[in-house]
Amino acid sequence: MTQSRPNEFIPPPECPVFEPSWEEFADPFGFINKIRPIAENTGICKIRPPPGWQPPFACDVDRLHFTPRIQRLNELEAQTRVKLNFLDQIAKFWELQGCTLKIPHVERKTLDLYVLYKLVKEEGGFDGVCKERRWTQIALKMGFAPGKAVGSHLRAHYERILYPYYLFQAGNSQKPTLTNDTKDKEYKPHDLPQRQSVQPAETCSIARRAKWTKGRCFKSELGGVCEKPNLRRRMGSYVAKPEPVKKIPMQVKEEPIEQQVEGEKSKVRAEVEQYICLVCGGGGDEDRLLLCDGCDDSYHTFCLIPPLHDVPKGDWRCPKCLAQECGKPPVAFGFEQASRDYTLRTFGDMADSFKSDYFNMPVHMVPTELVEKEFWRLVSTIEEDVTVEYGADIASKDFGSGFPVKNGTFKVSPVEEDYLSNGWNLNNMPVLDASVLTHVTADICGMKLPWLYVGMCFSSFCWHIEDHWSYSINYLHWGEPKTWYGAPGYAAEQLENVMKSLAPELFESQPDLLHQLVTIMNPNVLMEHGVPIYRTNQCAGEFVITFPRAYHSGFNQGFNFAEAVNFCTADWMPLGRQCIQHYRSLNRYCVFSHDEMTCNIASKADSLELELASAVQKDMCAMMLEEKMLREKVYKLGVWHSQQVDYDLLPDEERQCAKCRTTCYLSAITCPCSPDQLVCLYHIEDLCSCPARSYTLNYKYTLAELKPLFQALTARAESYEDWASKVNKILKELRSLVVEAEKKSYPETDLLSHLRQVIQNADRCTSMAQQLLNGKRQTRYRSGGGKSQNQLTVEELKSFVNQLYDLPCTIRQAPFLKALLNRVEQFQQQSSDLLAEDTPGSSALQSLLDEGAGLDVELPQLVVLRQRLEQARWVEAVKEASDQPADLSLDCMRRLIDQGVGLTPHACVERTMARLQELLTVCEHWEEKAHNMLTARPRHSIETLEAALQEVDSIPAYLPSCLQLKDCVNGAREWIMEADALQAGGRIPGLAALSELVSRARSIPVMLEPLSRLESLISEVQAWKESAAKTFLLRNSSHSLLEVLCPRCETGPQKSKSKKAKDVSVPCKKVEVKLDSLFDVEKALSTSKYTVSAMATLSEVHQKELESLSMLRTSNESKFQSSPSCLAPTVCLCHTVPAGPMLQCELCRDAYHSGCVPGFKDIQTGLPWLCPLCKRSEKPPLDKVLPLLASLQRIRVRLPEGDALRYVIERTVRWQHKVQLVSPTQHPNGKVSLISLNILEELLVEGLLMQVTLPELQQLYRSLLNRFSPSQHSLQSSEHDHQYHIKEPERLEKNSKRRLEKENTEGQHRDKIKKPKKKKPKLNKERRREEKRTTSPSNSLSDLSYSDDSEEDWSVCSAKQCQQPEGNEVNWVQCDGSCNQWFHQICVGVSAEQAENEDYICVSCRNTGPQRRLNG
């Protein structure tokens, strides 16, 4: 947007910076009074404390938490906020008419509609500018370059967007239409209401912005949902989903209705008038009749000017409601509290992250000048919304001040105790003797009790002056700088007038805007209008003081922590009373009662300092004159009733004027009609409508009671002035006599000499009296000290007292000065007695110092006492540290020695220093020696280290290296005990425990004798594992040695386990241990203490391996059975359908394409073939494996691989024994026994699972192959025994019970014939399982056909003399008796027709009882 002020910020001149000496710094108010003539001309100043003044940070960081304020920068600046409010008004004006405001662009810049509106208005309005053709001049004033015809564009935009609004404001009721350019930028209103200090009702324009941001239509602000029907929706001209509207009580527009004679007729007419157009008075054309969403008035669309062609979308307002909505006053602007509660640490993380991300560099590298210019750029633009948070006004009484306080939770060290009572401690400054706020009884947060401020980058404090126009002092404890801007107090009204003239809209609705601390204005703008502005950067450890009525503002450069408080000195008194009058004109609350404070001070007149007494006396004089005038005015109005009220006992909120909110103290007016309400005497007319004679004057003091207080003040303030004037008068007369003698040339007689001596003595007495009286204004001793220029020596005091008694007149102050001299002499005696002691206590020294500092006389003993106090505190600190040797570190000793070096020499200091230095030397020697022992190579023995530790135990100090050495020795002892226990009693340690023990030993810097033996054991184990890996593992194998030797935990997919597999239980399972992965197995083997438990674990894993393999084999074999989907199975590593020559794994029974198997041509004939997934190792012969086990037994270390190898060998031996015991048996008819085949097949599977090559396995495999006759053998060999040609099996026709099963084998012979499906299948699952196992272990895949019936299976004829039919003669029948056996129909003499129509009973079942049967 075009800026009306310079984009580049020019920093104002710097304010004065003061660096007081220690002497000046000792008296805070004295120094401030000294610099006031200079600093009050700039409004603010900066004070750098003397070097070395560094108070400890005492705030409880862990307990501090706060909710910060949310600050959106462009809403802080007054002129920018005026623009935002104006744009919101324009947007609301168009939104109420169903249009959306879009801000146009001119010359690639967003058009400043507010500036355009103001300029056109200043130039005489739209008509005047058009008539005089001044659009080019307006374009130049807005900063556009000449010669580009910008004026015509500005005119078009003004006429389209702003002119209708201008006419509306002028009272024109036309309803214009807003047309937008597609290139215009849609205006998104700022969400101001959520930033209010008090949330406004939705009646205001600010609250409306929240709805626009959420993208909703504007709802009526005249109340809740109207109970009357909406005519637009009822008549069908506009249909929309109703939206809930929040019900808010508001003023509703009422139309006047003529009074009818009968009440009923009046109601009927009111109902009828709802549906009548208020323009034409007709009720026709209901589909074009609009109902206002605000007041329910009706209008025809064609009766509006100009007429509306369509029903507006969203809510619609009539001209009257539009005027009412847009005319509502805005709500006071305020800050919103953040929703999150921060600690100091979390707020700091957020603040640093924000600054580093914004400037894209580390926070400490961002120049302060860059941050300053960027801040003022951001607050002056409406296009960038930057939001920050500021932890302001945090009460120190809740979480503790940053300065230490007496009886606080933070404990200070002895050397830091001075800060507890230091005058620059912000907890002490408001209540010092010279501070007026000391006499305010209430503890006012922010004024008497400090407030804490936690800032981040760009967080700001707006233009404001302090409450009651008091002083303020701010101390930055730590963090990044705080930038300040200030204007002197004499320019306060000028600054207010400039801001009111530049942003009058804000002050019209909120006259006390500058008291709310929510508005800022660019210092360059203020300086352009003649306001003097000064700046400074406050760094950590620096003070900034603002003077009475000095406006100030600023912002934080980054994360920091500051503390501030107010104070008032005597010179503030007249300004404080002037401020009360100013507050009364603004109807603003007072923080405290100024009159009450004045009376409290006057009641203590005798103890007041002369300057304060003089200022209060003048203030009380003005107060009494004002009160007398007001009471006379009240009496004249007729208020005769009065009563005395003790306003000290009432809280401030119960004695505030109902009109101006001033806190009443001396007097107030009440009325019986409203006893809880009162007004001050200025606003008696605003109390109520009752006559003044019924009012009551409530007063605290009568005027007569105020006079004694005033007289006491006057006596205190004027006593010195009267005495000084009398002395000057006498001296003047005496001097005139001397002048007369010199003028008349009188001789130098003794009389003239005596006169001159009297004058000199009188001058000396006057000077001394002045010094003594001024000396009472000196504060007590603070850190730094030094002689004050106003203090007298003891000799001068004695001389002065003697002179007073030698004068030829009586001085009433002489007895007091004599008493002062006696106190001084008594102090000197006490000091001599205390200093004679060898080691006086610090408390006694401090008490005597405080007493001497209060004498206001220069005492040489004070310097010595301060030195001895420092010495005593140091000696006590050393003793306290020595009493706690666990905390006495080398750094602590060095710090104490450094502190002691700067002390004045003394015997007790020398003795303590010698002992401390000796202890430090011994400690440093042993620390270095312990460190060398810990890092020595080769390492020391444990005996050597223990001998050294015995000497260290007697040293009373904290030695970290020695403690570390002690821990190492203890760890070495424990390690040796564990190492001995590991192999005690012939135990065989596990590799995991052994490795863990060796790993621990390497971190112990002690020579451990068993370590070398254990390391050699581990080396032997590693060599054994490498040898075993070479023996078992395949080349480039992805499996580990343990994975190969252990039974497989996962042999295939286990998603669909059969019921039989689920029912199998693991025998001898004692402990529920999860063994689902190799990791679980390895963990179980490593944690097992004995070989027996390891073997049990491996046996359990082996059982799971067999179960999983059985399911895998069944799953792979079922792939080739017929299924209803007729989908070919996916096989092989490539997961495709069978095609061409195939190989079948003897273990998992899966099929593989010959081209997908590496080494296809190297497969040996007659040997069982395993797929790449099943072949996991080289399977070395047993004679190569047994030496590995023997060598491991010699090492005597248990490891998971060793247990697995032992289990492999034991399993191999058991398998060999089983093979020797089982010999295949022949069926009586020449066939192999089913049981024998099952056992042999199980042995074959178990043998293939073993990772050892055995001759018995090859013999077993060949034996199973040879037991199948060539006619029965279903394999079609091509190149070798394991290569098959897969052919798509044909679907078998399903016949009934005795239907002949026809097959087209195309020359292939089947040794088993598939049985037809029977109505009542009776083969049990066990029998079918056993019969199914009769197939050869190398069955061809072509033997397996797809089957739709899970009950069909292979079997043999049960006839005693089976004829073994083949081909078409093979047809089956099942016994319907109790045996359910199958028979060839030809073997039992049953025809196909009989088998189909009648039940068949075999011979065995026929003999058991009568059955209905077939012949056969």
Side-chain angles (χ1 to χ4, degrees):
M1 179 174 289
T2 305
Q3 300 292 334
S4 60
R5 50 185 175 272
N7 293 327
E8 190 72 18
F9 177 78
I10 301 175
E14 294 289 328
C15 73
V17 180
F18 299 97
E19 297 180 355
S21 64
W22 278 109
E23 180 182 354
E24 294 172 324
F25 197 69
D27 183 7
F29 288 153
F31 179 73
I32 293 173
N33 187 58
K34 180 179 178 181
I35 65 174
R36 180 162 52 85
I38 300 174
E40 67 180 357
N41 292 325
T42 58
I44 62 172
C45 71
K46 183 166 67 174
I47 297 178
R48 292 196 184 105
W53 193 85
Q54 295 178 351
F57 185 65
C59 184
D60 191 347
V61 176
D62 297 329
R63 197 165 59 93
L64 174 62
H65 63 89
F66 58 93
T67 302
R69 300 169 179 171
I70 295 178
Q71 295 181 334
R72 290 162 178 83
L73 299 185
N74 58 2
E75 294 175 4
L76 300 177
E77 214 278 331
Q79 294 176 288
T80 309
R81 193 191 308 161
V82 170
K83 291 183 180 181
L84 293 174
N85 292 337
F86 175 79
L87 291 177
D88 286 348
Q89 286 291 327
I90 297 294
K92 178 179 180 179
F93 170 76
W94 286 113
E95 184 183 17
L96 291 176
Q97 302 172 72
C99 302
T100 302
L101 173 64
K102 292 186 178 181
I103 301 178
H105 284 70
V106 177
E107 292 294 316
R108 294 179 295 180
K109 296 180 181 179
T110 305
L111 181 60
D112 192 335
L113 294 177
Y114 173 76
V115 174
L116 178 60
Y117 185 83
K118 297 290 288 186
L119 289 176
V120 172
K121 191 174 181 181
E122 291 173 359
E123 294 293 335
F126 177 73
D127 296 334
V129 174
C130 292
K131 184 177 180 180
E132 298 180 8
R133 298 182 180 182
R134 297 185 57 81
W135 290 106
T136 302
Q137 287 79 358
I138 290 179
L140 293 176
K141 289 183 179 181
M142 294 186 68
F144 292 104
K148 293 189 177 182
V150 179
S152 59
H153 295 291
L154 296 181
R155 172 180 177 174
H157 293 316
Y158 184 91
E159 186 175 11
R160 179 172 57 90
I161 301 174
L162 298 175
Y163 190 52
Y165 177 75
Y166 171 78
L167 293 178
F168 168 75
Q169 293 287 350
N172 194 310
S173 60
Q174 289 187 354
K175 300 289 292 183
T177 303
L178 179 65
T179 58
N180 292 312
D181 191 344
T182 56
K183 297 181 180 180
D184 292 348
K185 178 181 178 181
E186 182 175 353
Y187 176 66
K188 297 180 179 180
H190 290 63
D191 197 6
L192 290 180
Q194 298 180 10
R195 272 101 74 195
Q196 310 306 314
S197 55
V198 178
Q199 291 292 330
E202 291 196 12
T203 56
C204 65
S205 61
I206 298 178
R208 169 178 44 78
R209 296 169 179 157
K211 296 182 177 180
W212 295 345
T213 304
K214 299 176 182 178
R216 298 184 294 170
C217 295
F218 178 77
K219 293 298 171 188
S220 173
E221 296 176 345
L222 295 179
V225 179
C226 183
E227 297 178 357
K228 300 178 182 179
N230 189 320
L231 296 185
R232 291 188 290 140
R233 294 176 175 83
R234 184 179 64 82
M235 297 175 183
S237 61
Y238 178 74
V239 179
K241 182 178 180 181
E243 297 182 19
V245 181
K246 183 177 181 181
K247 294 185 177 182
I248 301 176
M250 301 180 183
Q251 181 180 359
V252 180
K253 175 183 173 185
E254 296 181 357
E255 293 292 338
I257 301 176
E258 296 181 2
Q259 297 294 332
Q260 301 294 329
V261 178
E262 298 179 3
E264 188 64 27
K265 290 182 179 181
S266 177
K267 295 181 180 179
V268 172
R269 179 173 180 180
E271 291 294 331
V272 172
E273 286 185 349
Q274 290 183 18
Y275 312 108
I276 296 176
C277 176
L278 296 185
V279 178
C280 67
D285 298 316
E286 291 186 352
D287 58 334
R288 307 298 294 175
L289 194 62
L290 294 181
L291 180 65
C292 176
D293 288 308
C295 64
D296 296 336
D297 287 347
S298 305
Y299 295 85
H300 285 122
T301 58
F302 49 79
C303 291
L304 297 172
I305 302 175
L308 296 179
H309 302 288
D310 299 316
V311 175
K313 295 181 179 179
D315 291 348
W316 176 82
R317 297 293 190 278
C318 67
K320 296 179 181 179
C321 290
L322 183 62
Q324 184 179 6
E325 291 294 333
C326 293
K328 292 180 179 178
V331 173
F333 177 77
F335 291 133
E336 172 197 1
Q337 292 295 110
S339 58
R340 177 182 175 185
D341 189 77
Y342 288 92
T343 63
L344 206 57
R345 184 174 291 103
T346 56
F347 188 85
D349 294 340
M350 180 275 295
D352 290 340
S353 176
F354 168 83
K355 185 176 180 180
S356 61
D357 292 344
Y358 188 91
F359 291 100
N360 197 23
M361 66 178 73
V363 293
H364 63 278
M365 296 181 63
V366 184
T368 57
E369 297 82 2
L370 175 61
V371 179
E372 185 175 26
K373 292 181 179 180
E374 183 64 13
F375 172 79
W376 290 112
R377 186 190 69 82
L378 290 174
V379 301
S380 301
T381 178
I382 66 172
E383 296 180 342
E384 296 184 42
D385 289 330
V386 175
T387 302
V388 296
E389 299 180 10
Y390 190 18
D393 299 345
I394 304 171
S396 61
K397 68 177 182 179
D398 296 334
F399 306 105
S401 168
F403 290 95
V405 295
K406 294 180 180 179
N407 302 323
T409 58
F410 181 81
K411 303 301 181 184
V412 297
S413 63
V415 296
E416 296 173 338
E417 288 182 355
D418 287 338
Y419 294 107
L420 294 174
S421 56
N422 193 286
W424 293 92
N425 184 328
L426 298 194
N427 297 279
N428 301 330
M429 181 169 282
V431 294
L432 292 176
D433 293 339
S435 174
V436 175
L437 295 182
T438 306
H439 305 279
V440 176
T441 55
D443 289 335
I444 306 170
C445 287
M447 289 201 74
K448 291 184 65 177
L449 298 179
W451 262 343
L452 311 177
Y453 297 86
V454 184
M456 64 176 290
C457 183
F458 297 146
S459 62
S460 61
F461 48 102
C462 301
W463 285 111
H464 70 285
I465 50 181
E466 298 300 321
D467 290 332
H468 290 257
W469 298 355
S470 60
Y471 288 83
S472 76
I473 182 169
N474 185 293
Y475 181 74
L476 189 61
H477 285 279
W478 48 259
E480 299 191 60
K482 187 189 294 282
T483 301
W484 290 74
Y485 304 96
Y490 66 82
E493 293 184 1
Q494 184 182 3
L495 183 144
E496 294 171 356
N497 295 332
V498 170
M499 292 191 68
K500 290 178 181 179
S501 64
L502 295 178
E505 299 87 348
L506 300 181
F507 288 89
E508 288 175 0
S509 60
Q510 199 172 359
D512 62 341
L513 179 65
L514 290 177
H515 293 283
Q516 306 304 321
L517 283 78
V518 294
T519 306
I520 202 168
M521 184 169 282
N522 195 315
N524 291 163
V525 176
L526 297 173
M527 294 170 68
E528 290 173 2
H529 290 78
V531 180
I533 302 294
Y534 300 88
R535 73 172 302 280
T536 190
N537 284 331
Q538 178 191 15
C539 299
E542 295 178 342
F543 290 96
V544 168
I545 294 179
T546 68
F547 285 78
R549 209 183 181 185
Y551 272 98
H552 52 280
S553 66
F555 66 93
N556 297 289
Q557 294 274 345
F559 179 47
N560 57 27
F561 187 98
E563 187 170 356
V565 78
N566 294 103
F567 65 92
C568 300
T569 55
D571 61 278
W572 164 85
M573 291 296 294
L575 289 173
R577 182 160 298 278
Q578 183 183 349
C579 177
I580 297 300
Q581 298 295 336
H582 181 71
Y583 282 179
R584 182 179 287 113
S585 65
L586 295 176
N587 297 336
R588 188 173 187 269
Y589 291 103
C590 300
V591 178
F592 59 87
S593 172
H594 189 90
D595 291 341
E596 181 179 1
M597 179 193 68
T598 301
C599 292
N600 289 339
I601 300 175
S603 64
K604 306 171 185 176
D606 294 339
S607 61
L608 294 180
E609 298 180 357
L610 291 177
E611 183 181 3
L612 179 59
S614 177
V616 174
Q617 185 258 349
K618 295 175 182 178
D619 185 75
M620 191 170 186
C621 180
M623 179 189 74
M624 293 177 64
L625 291 176
E626 179 185 16
E627 185 68 17
K628 181 180 179 181
M629 178 194 68
L630 290 174
R631 291 189 185 185
E632 290 177 352
K633 172 187 173 183
V634 169
Y635 293 150
K636 291 179 181 180
L637 291 176
V639 179
W640 299 102
H641 300 287
S642 62
Q643 63 178 359
Q644 192 165 15
V645 178
D646 192 358
Y647 281 120
D648 292 329
L649 304 179
L650 293 179
D652 288 357
E653 57 270 14
E654 294 183 10
R655 50 188 176 115
Q656 287 175 347
C657 174
K659 175 63 177 178
C660 65
R661 300 179 180 178
T662 300
T663 303
C664 298
Y665 180 72
L666 290 179
S667 58
I669 300 295
T670 59
C671 182
C673 71
S674 52
D676 295 334
Q677 189 174 6
L678 56 83
V679 293
C680 65
L681 271 58
Y682 279 98
H683 299 103
I684 183 174
E685 296 87 353
D686 300 306
L687 178 57
C688 64
S689 59
C690 299
R693 61 178 177 272
S694 63
Y695 294 167
T696 301
L697 172 65
N698 302 277
Y699 60 90
K700 169 68 176 176
Y701 299 106
T702 64
L703 295 177
E705 291 173 342
L706 288 175
K707 288 183 179 179
L709 296 176
F710 179 73
Q711 291 172 355
L713 274 175
T714 303
R716 176 62 176 164
E718 295 180 352
S719 59
Y720 170 74
E721 295 179 1
D722 293 342
W723 176 81
S725 62
K726 292 177 182 178
V727 171
N728 289 329
K729 183 178 180 181
I730 295 175
L731 290 177
K732 186 176 181 181
E733 293 177 357
L734 293 176
R735 288 191 180 94
S736 64
L737 292 175
V738 173
V739 172
E740 182 181 356
E742 292 177 352
K743 185 176 180 180
K744 295 182 178 181
S745 301
Y746 290 161
E748 290 291 335
T749 61
D750 295 338
L751 182 61
L752 182 59
S753 300
H754 184 65
L755 180 60
R756 286 196 176 101
Q757 186 65 35
V758 169
I759 293 175
Q760 292 176 2
N761 293 339
D763 288 338
R764 188 179 297 111
C765 291
T766 304
S767 175
M768 291 181 181
Q770 178 69 39
Q771 290 182 14
L772 284 175
L773 292 172
N774 290 341
K776 294 181 180 179
R777 296 172 52 192
Q778 299 298 318
T779 59
R780 289 175 176 261
Y781 165 71
R782 303 289 186 260
S783 59
K787 176 183 176 182
S788 173
Q789 296 178 355
N790 295 328
Q791 285 184 334
L792 298 178
T793 63
V794 178
E795 297 301 326
E796 290 173 341
L797 180 61
K798 289 180 180 180
S799 173
F800 179 56
V801 171
N802 294 331
Q803 288 178 10
L804 287 179
Y805 282 99
D806 292 340
L807 288 175
C809 60
T810 302
I811 304 298
R812 65 183 182 88
Q813 289 86 356
F816 300 104
L817 293 178
K818 182 64 175 178
L820 175 62
L821 180 60
N822 294 335
R823 289 174 55 199
V824 170
E825 293 174 347
Q826 183 181 0
F827 169 79
Q828 290 178 324
Q829 182 61 40
Q830 292 177 351
S831 299
S832 300
D833 296 341
L834 189 61
L835 293 176
E837 299 179 9
D838 184 39
T839 55
S842 60
S843 58
L845 290 170
Q846 181 65 58
S847 176
L848 198 58
L849 263 176
D850 292 340
E851 181 181 353
L855 295 176
D856 293 324
V857 178
E858 181 186 351
L859 300 170
Q861 292 83 358
L862 290 178
V863 177
V864 182
L865 286 173
R866 288 167 189 158
Q867 295 174 354
R868 294 299 301 274
L869 176 61
E870 294 177 353
Q871 296 170 354
R873 286 178 175 174
W874 182 80
V875 172
E876 291 174 358
V878 173
K879 186 177 183 303
E880 182 180 355
S882 301
D883 293 341
Q884 299 177 352
D887 298 330
L888 186 59
S889 62
L890 295 179
D891 291 338
C892 180
M893 286 186 276
R894 294 189 185 103
R895 185 172 63 254
L896 289 172
I897 290 175
D898 292 340
Q899 294 172 358
V901 168
L903 297 176
T904 305
H906 191 268
C908 65
V909 175
E910 298 297 334
R911 291 195 303 269
T912 306
M913 180 69 74
R915 291 196 298 268
L916 190 59
Q917 187 66 52
E918 181 183 3
L919 179 61
L920 177 62
T921 304
V922 173
C923 292
E924 288 177 340
H925 167 72
W926 275 107
E927 272 291 275
E928 182 181 2
K929 186 174 182 180
H931 177 73
N932 294 336
M933 286 182 171
L934 290 171
T935 58
R937 293 293 183 274
R939 296 173 175 174
H940 292 282
S941 64
I942 191 171
E943 292 78 10
T944 303
L945 299 180
E946 286 180 337
L949 287 175
Q950 290 179 357
E951 300 183 36
V952 173
D953 290 340
S954 60
I955 300 177
Y958 171 72
L959 305 176
S961 297
C962 294
L963 292 178
Q964 184 181 359
L965 183 64
K966 186 175 182 179
D967 294 339
C968 292
V969 171
N970 295 334
R973 284 294 182 193
E974 295 176 0
W975 187 91
I976 292 174
M977 294 176 61
E978 293 181 17
D980 294 341
L982 198 62
Q983 294 179 307
R987 296 179 184 175
I988 301 178
L991 179 61
L994 201 62
S995 300
E996 190 271 338
L997 201 62
V998 171
S999 176
R1000 282 173 48 202
R1002 289 169 181 166
S1003 63
I1004 300 176
V1006 182
M1007 184 176 66
L1008 304 171
E1009 295 181 357
L1011 179 60
S1012 58
R1013 177 167 49 85
L1014 298 182
E1015 287 179 337
S1016 64
L1017 281 178
I1018 292 179
S1019 300
E1020 292 178 10
V1021 170
Q1022 295 297 333
W1024 181 90
K1025 290 177 68 175
E1026 293 176 1
S1027 175
K1030 292 179 181 179
T1031 304
F1032 280 95
L1033 297 184
L1034 296 169
R1035 180 177 297 178
N1036 300 327
S1037 173
S1038 61
H1039 300 296
S1040 64
L1041 178 60
L1042 181 62
E1043 191 175 1
V1044 168
L1045 295 178
C1046 283
R1048 288 185 288 183
C1049 302
E1050 297 178 0
T1051 58
Q1054 300 185 17
K1055 295 181 180 179
S1056 58
K1057 295 183 179 180
S1058 64
K1059 182 178 180 180
K1060 183 178 179 67
K1062 291 181 181 178
D1063 294 338
V1064 176
S1065 60
V1066 180
C1068 302
K1069 186 175 181 182
K1070 297 180 180 180
V1071 182
E1072 292 294 334
V1073 180
K1074 183 179 179 182
L1075 300 173
D1076 295 337
S1077 64
L1078 182 66
F1079 175 78
D1080 296 335
V1081 177
E1082 184 177 5
K1083 182 178 179 181
L1085 294 178
S1086 300
T1087 55
S1088 61
K1089 296 183 178 180
Y1090 304 101
T1091 306
V1092 177
S1093 59
M1095 296 299 104
T1097 300
L1098 293 171
S1099 177
E1100 182 179 349
V1101 177
H1102 175 55
Q1103 186 66 28
K1104 289 187 176 182
E1105 178 186 34
L1106 293 177
E1107 295 173 8
S1108 301
L1109 182 62
S1110 175
M1111 288 185 286
L1112 179 62
R1113 289 167 62 90
T1114 304
S1115 174
N1116 290 336
E1117 289 174 353
S1118 65
K1119 292 180 181 180
F1120 307 100
Q1121 297 178 359
S1122 60
S1123 61
S1125 61
C1126 300
L1127 296 176
T1130 58
V1131 297
C1132 192
L1133 298 171
C1134 59
H1135 298 287
T1136 57
V1137 298
M1142 302 292 293
L1143 295 172
Q1144 188 174 30
C1145 177
E1146 294 295 347
L1147 189 56
C1148 67
R1149 307 300 292 164
D1150 203 357
Y1152 294 83
H1153 300 104
S1154 58
C1156 296
V1157 178
F1160 162 68
K1161 297 183 179 181
D1162 298 335
I1163 299 177
Q1164 299 179 7
T1165 307
L1167 296 179
W1169 179 79
L1170 300 182
C1171 65
L1173 298 179
C1174 293
K1175 186 174 182 181
R1176 299 154 58 85
S1177 70
E1178 290 286 356
K1179 291 197 173 185
L1182 188 60
D1183 55 354
K1184 289 186 178 181
V1185 177
L1186 292 175
L1188 288 174
L1189 181 61
S1191 61
L1192 181 62
Q1193 290 176 344
R1194 287 194 298 272
I1195 299 175
R1196 295 187 62 78
V1197 175
R1198 283 192 56 235
L1199 65 158
E1201 290 83 356
D1203 293 336
L1205 180 63
R1206 183 186 302 275
Y1207 182 73
V1208 167
I1209 295 176
E1210 291 182 2
R1211 186 171 147 201
T1212 302
V1213 172
R1214 288 198 301 269
W1215 184 84
Q1216 287 177 327
H1217 182 65
K1218 289 181 183 178
V1219 172
Q1220 293 174 1
L1221 294 179
V1222 177
S1223 58
T1225 58
Q1226 297 289 336
H1227 196 273
N1229 59 6
K1231 297 184 179 180
V1232 180
S1233 169
L1234 291 177
I1235 299 177
S1236 179
L1237 285 176
N1238 292 338
I1239 295 175
L1240 292 178
E1241 184 179 0
E1242 292 176 354
L1243 287 174
L1244 177 64
V1245 171
E1246 187 174 356
L1248 292 175
L1249 285 173
M1250 293 188 298
Q1251 304 303 321
V1252 180
T1253 300
L1254 299 171
E1256 292 87 348
L1257 180 62
Q1258 300 177 9
Q1259 295 172 6
L1260 178 63
Y1261 178 70
R1262 292 193 181 96
S1263 174
L1264 284 173
L1265 288 179
N1266 294 336
R1267 290 182 183 276
F1268 292 92
S1269 61
S1271 61
Q1272 294 174 333
H1273 202 285
S1274 60
L1275 305 181
Q1276 180 182 358
S1277 301
S1278 57
E1279 293 184 8
H1280 49 76
D1281 293 345
H1282 305 286
Q1283 183 174 345
Y1284 311 107
H1285 184 75
I1286 302 298
K1287 182 178 179 181
E1288 280 292 327
E1290 300 179 359
R1291 277 199 180 275
L1292 301 178
E1293 297 181 0
K1294 295 182 181 179
N1295 297 326
S1296 58
K1297 176 180 176 183
R1298 298 174 178 86
R1299 181 79 177 269
L1300 180 64
E1301 180 181 4
K1302 297 181 179 181
E1303 295 179 347
N1304 183 13
T1305 59
E1306 296 183 355
Q1308 294 185 11
H1309 298 284
R1310 299 182 180 272
D1311 60 335
K1312 300 288 187 232
I1313 305 301
K1314 192 173 184 181
K1315 291 185 178 182
K1317 182 178 179 182
K1318 185 174 176 64
K1319 296 178 184 178
K1320 301 177 181 179
K1322 300 175 183 178
L1323 288 177
N1324 58 49
K1325 295 181 181 180
E1326 184 63 27
R1327 180 178 174 184
R1328 291 198 306 272
R1329 184 180 64 82
E1330 292 178 357
E1331 290 175 348
K1332 199 168 186 179
R1333 290 181 180 175
T1334 59
T1335 58
S1336 169
S1338 59
N1339 268 346
S1340 170
L1341 296 179
S1342 59
D1343 290 340
L1344 305 175
S1345 61
Y1346 295 98
S1347 174
D1348 292 334
D1349 191 348
S1350 63
E1351 296 296 333
E1352 293 182 354
D1353 211 335
W1354 302 94
S1355 186
V1356 294
C1357 178
S1358 298
K1360 294 182 179 180
Q1361 296 180 354
C1362 179
Q1363 301 179 15
Q1364 298 183 0
E1366 296 179 357
N1368 294 333
E1369 295 180 357
V1370 177
N1371 208 346
W1372 295 84
V1373 65
Q1374 186 179 19
C1375 175
D1376 290 319
S1378 59
C1379 66
N1380 294 325
Q1381 293 182 348
W1382 289 89
F1383 303 85
H1384 292 129
Q1385 292 180 9
I1386 193 172
C1387 295
V1388 295
V1390 177
S1391 64
E1393 183 179 358
Q1394 290 175 330
E1396 180 70 20
N1397 298 327
E1398 299 179 14
D1399 290 340
Y1400 168 72
I1401 306 299
C1402 67
V1403 177
S1404 300
C1405 294
R1406 231 180 296 161
N1407 296 330
T1408 59
Q1411 298 281 350
R1412 178 169 170 253
R1413 61 184 183 276
L1414 296 174
N1415 293 328

